[in-house]
Amino acid sequence: MTEIVIIGAGECGVRAAFSLREYGHDGAITLIGAESALPYERPPLSKAMDGTEKPIRPADAYDTAGIDLVLGTDVARIDPEARRVFLGNGVDLPYHMLLLATGARARLFPSLRGCLTLRTDSDAEAIMARLAPNTRIGIVGGGFIGLELAATARATGAKVTVVEAAPRLLARGVPTEIASIVEARHRTAGVEIRTGTGVSSATNRTITLADGETLTFDAVIAGVGSVPNTELAADAGLAVENGIRVDEWFRTSDQRIFAAGDCCSFVWRGTRVRLESWKAAQDQGAFVAAAMLGRTNDGGYRHVPWFWSDQYDQSLQVAGLFDADSPVQQRDAGQDKRIVFQCDAENVLVAAAGIGPGNSVSKDIRILEKLIERGARVDPSVLADPSLNLKRLLRAA
Amino acid sequence: MAEWIDACATDDIEEEDVIRFDHGSRTFIIVRDHEENYYCTDGLCTHEDVHLADGLVVEATIECPKHSSIFDVTNGDVETPPACESLQRYPTRIEGGRVFVEI
């Protein structure tokens, strides 16, 4: 009677399944995915054009670990009283504990119906099929999905226009000092960027701006955020608050049901947040697996939110959550790189971001991430000084 | 045939750090841990062929600069995915202030 069922076979669900085994769970593990492909990585979807999926784990790893992988199967409902999951194909499964790793889906406002969106392998295939030299591609939304697709589209020779309602790109979560470099890079590559430009509606061929102007394209892609998949949880009576509401152990309002990854909202440093991040999905998958097995003695979830984006030859990384209303400081990182950070009123480092060619800022951002994780106090003027060796600072923290 | 190669001086690598070492058409990393031990492994992450030399060394581990896979350089094993495959590890020995690797 120790069956664990995991709904959702993305990064979070897969990591949780393997972690459960690693942590010694010897009962049955059933991992249910709605998509039919072997669980695959989503980050390459906005970047790679060859259409080949990169599996998260090789096919035989599931067998070896004794994970029962059920693909191409929807879940119809959960009965928390009977502790059973009812699948769309009529099968139902008992559970001792249940993990909801249902992820998120691309948001599509009714006014944008007809636009292409990106979340799955088939979405990517549909988009990549439209990219060709001189094809006119319109992108609604200057966030990560929109911008990574803009870079990918330019590489094929397509003509790209990005329309963003906010006054600047990457307004959610990336400081201006970094976003301006991204914007300049796109402009250099020939992408037309229209910030501060509202969209009143869009179709598969047109974007109509708030001022009434209509732009015509060969394809229009909307990258305007995502919506957590909370319907199963809500139908089962679980608390939902911008995602499935979980406590510090990623437990929902039902003691036997956990939720993790893009579908959940959790408290990080006093604020309830929901992350849409590849790394957080994995970190939370591993953490929740331990929590489900009662391994809660090493404290609550401490992983710092972290994400990256590759566009052209540049890579940007962000660790921690920037407060958009507070100032950021800059660390002199050399000519072609930029690193910024933010401390709170007590000089505790809360967030850091960097951009540069290739992986040139990775090591510094990783060190800053570790300092954030440790709640390190730093004198901002010292941290800004390039002569300070970050590695030594980390050893002392 | 594996042979011993003089790769670098011991103090070419800072404490808890890494350098890239290319030999022939192959690329390796040489890691110096926090206790003066030197390790050599393949230089590319097994996940997406990213150069690990840009990654952060903590004690005897290295973290991929791109997707954060963590490897134990004492045996090449994956400590944290997304990488699934271990790194190939190669013997090292220190002689006269030089690091030799058998590759």
Side-chain angles (χ1 to χ4, degrees):
Chain A
M1 292 303 287
T2 56
E3 307 93 340
I4 293 180
V5 173
I6 300 171
I7 303 176
E11 291 287 351
C12 183
V14 170
R15 176 64 72 85
F18 283 90
S19 296
L20 284 166
R21 280 285 178 257
E22 217 172 283
Y23 299 153
H25 175 69
D26 55 9
I29 299 172
T30 306
L31 179 61
I32 305 165
E35 296 177 61
S36 50
L38 187 68
Y40 60 91
E41 297 189 355
R42 296 193 197 280
L45 296 181
S46 53
K47 305 166 186 100
M49 278 164 297
D50 59 1
T52 54
E53 288 150 6
K54 183 169 174 57
I56 297 172
R57 301 269 179 155
D60 59 1
Y62 296 88
D63 272 350
T64 306
I67 295 165
D68 190 9
L69 190 57
V70 181
L71 296 175
T73 305
D74 285 313
V75 174
R77 68 185 177 91
I78 301 159
D79 183 341
E81 297 289 316
R83 303 211 300 260
R84 295 189 92 82
V85 170
F86 293 81
L87 306 183
N89 61 13
V91 173
D92 67 288
L93 299 168
Y95 65 81
H96 176 67
M97 274 185 288
L98 176 65
L99 172 61
L100 302 176
T102 48
R105 59 182 178 271
R107 172 180 284 144
L108 196 59
F109 299 112
S111 59
L112 302 179
R113 199 161 294 147
C115 296
L116 296 163
T117 57
L118 178 62
R119 183 76 191 179
T120 66
D121 54 353
S122 50
D123 294 340
E125 209 175 310
I127 289 171
M128 298 308 161
R130 310 304 295 270
L131 305 182
N134 297 318
T135 307
R136 296 161 303 166
I137 302 294
I139 297 178
V140 181
F144 284 114
I145 293 280
L147 293 175
E148 289 184 4
L149 285 173
T152 303
R154 275 305 293 147
T156 67
K159 290 181 174 166
V160 182
T161 302
V162 175
V163 183
E164 166 59 51
R168 65 173 180 89
L169 299 178
L170 299 171
R172 209 179 57 150
V174 178
T176 309
E177 293 79 357
I178 302 288
S180 62
I181 294 178
V182 175
E183 181 167 340
R185 185 68 186 83
H186 277 279
R187 288 194 194 279
T188 303
V191 175
E192 185 185 346
I193 293 184
R194 300 174 70 151
T195 48
T197 306
V199 168
S200 65
S201 67
T203 68
N204 60 342
R205 297 292 302 274
T206 61
I207 299 177
T208 301
L209 306 179
D211 67 6
E213 185 189 354
T214 294
L215 312 174
T216 304
F217 299 97
D218 298 303
V220 177
I221 306 164
V224 292
S226 70
V227 182
N229 294 322
T230 58
E231 289 76 5
L232 276 177
D235 289 349
L238 305 180
V240 171
E241 182 183 347
N242 177 31
I244 304 166
R245 187 189 163 96
V246 296
D247 67 11
E248 61 188 314
W249 307 111
F250 289 79
R251 196 191 312 255
T252 68
S253 51
D254 181 307
Q255 296 298 295
R256 289 181 183 273
I257 306 180
F258 293 71
D262 289 13
C263 69
C264 82
S265 72
F266 67 104
V267 175
W268 195 74
R269 302 199 168 177
T271 307
R272 181 159 291 275
V273 297
R274 185 174 67 79
L275 301 177
E276 296 159 7
S277 146
W278 185 74
K279 181 67 160 49
Q282 296 176 49
D283 290 343
Q284 292 176 16
F287 180 87
V288 76
M292 290 174 89
L293 300 179
R295 289 173 40 143
T296 53
N297 52 355
D298 51 353
Y301 184 77
R302 282 194 296 266
H303 292 279
V304 174
W306 175 86
F307 59 85
W308 90 95
S309 179
D310 296 332
Q311 296 169 34
Y312 310 102
D313 50 346
Q314 288 184 331
S315 186
L316 84 86
Q317 298 198 355
V318 181
L321 300 177
F322 279 93
D323 174 2
D325 300 323
S326 302
V328 302
Q329 249 100 15
Q330 196 162 317
R331 177 178 162 84
D332 188 353
Q335 206 175 18
D336 54 354
K337 301 188 280 182
R338 183 170 286 177
I339 289 177
V340 299
F341 62 93
Q342 194 171 62
C343 295
D344 69 9
E346 277 82 48
N347 278 354
V348 174
L349 185 64
V350 294
I355 187 164
N359 296 315
S360 57
V361 298
S362 300
K363 204 182 282 191
D364 285 352
I365 296 298
R366 190 71 77 256
I367 293 172
L368 294 167
E369 180 192 340
K370 286 179 180 296
L371 290 168
I372 295 168
E373 187 178 319
R374 293 175 193 183
R377 253 172 240 273
V378 293
D379 180 339
S381 61
V382 171
L383 193 52
D385 181 352
S387 68
L388 171 80
N389 182 310
L390 286 178
K391 193 73 183 281
R392 281 195 202 117
L393 185 68
L394 179 65
R395 283 206 199 98
Chain B
M1 282 299 287
E3 52 179 327
W4 285 98
I5 308 289
D6 180 349
C8 61
T10 51
D11 57 9
D12 285 344
I13 315 174
E14 286 185 40
E15 187 183 344
E16 261 192 319
D17 210 348
V18 58
I19 62 163
R20 173 174 164 175
F21 174 63
D22 291 345
H23 185 71
S25 58
R26 300 157 75 195
T27 185
F28 304 88
I29 52 168
I30 302 173
V31 171
R32 172 174 163 185
D33 74 2
H34 58 307
E35 290 172 333
E36 290 290 302
N37 301 304
Y38 292 80
Y39 302 96
C40 178
T41 72
D42 279 335
L44 299 178
C45 182
T46 59
H47 176 237
E48 272 189 16
D49 290 346
V50 170
H51 279 284
L52 290 168
D54 292 322
L56 181 67
V57 174
V58 174
E59 297 185 350
T61 65
I62 188 156
E63 182 169 351
C64 173
K66 182 59 90 184
H67 304 125
S68 300
S69 295
I70 300 176
F71 298 91
D72 178 344
V73 293
T74 67
N75 51 23
D77 287 352
V78 176
E79 210 163 84
T80 307
C84 306
E85 277 175 58
S86 299
L87 288 173
Q88 175 72 44
R89 200 177 91 69
Y90 303 92
T92 56
R93 72 180 150 86
I94 307 301
E95 220 174 86
R98 305 289 305 174
V99 181
F100 291 82
V101 296
E102 189 181 28
I103 52 181

